[in-house]
Amino acid sequence: MDTGSAVEGVAYQDNGYLDLVIMGKQAIDDDLGVTGQMLAGLLGWGQATFASKLDINDAKKEVVVTREIDGGGEEIRCKLPLVVTTDLR
């Protein structure tokens, strides 16, 4: 079983209350950095990658994600449910 499938099972076992999964940037075995993206695809959720900051608004069910890009940061607004992968910083 791959990691994405294992985490997908945990997400669905939570009786629908889970709407945000935060994961690391990359794995130590293959260094591909695709587990978060695979999980988002399996769940049918949105995704935000390389996040350095999250501002969660429960009332609006959205998250403002700050991503590290060349020359600074980029803010994107995402609806929950969401899978977020973090940056190394």
Side-chain angles (χ1 to χ4, degrees):
M1 176 184 293
D2 61 74
T3 305
S5 295
V7 178
E8 176 192 23
V10 172
Y12 279 123
Q13 287 179 4
D14 201 55
N15 298 322
Y17 294 112
L18 183 67
D19 60 3
L20 179 64
V21 174
I22 301 172
M23 304 182 79
K25 178 181 176 183
Q26 56 202 134
I28 61 170
D29 56 350
D30 57 22
D31 204 29
L32 293 176
V34 297
T35 303
Q37 292 86 333
M38 289 173 38
L39 177 62
L42 289 169
L43 294 172
W45 292 9
Q47 61 180 297
T49 57
F50 307 115
S52 61
K53 179 181 174 185
L54 300 177
D55 290 314
I56 302 169
N57 186 327
D58 286 326
K60 290 185 177 181
K61 294 293 235 179
E62 70 179 21
V63 180
V64 175
V65 179
T66 303
R67 303 178 65 212
E68 296 291 326
I69 61 170
D70 290 340
E74 170 187 48
E75 286 188 354
I76 57 173
R77 189 174 309 275
C78 305
K79 290 288 187 187
L80 293 172
L82 181 67
V83 176
V84 174
T85 64
T86 60
D87 196 4
L88 292 176
R89 295 170 200 37

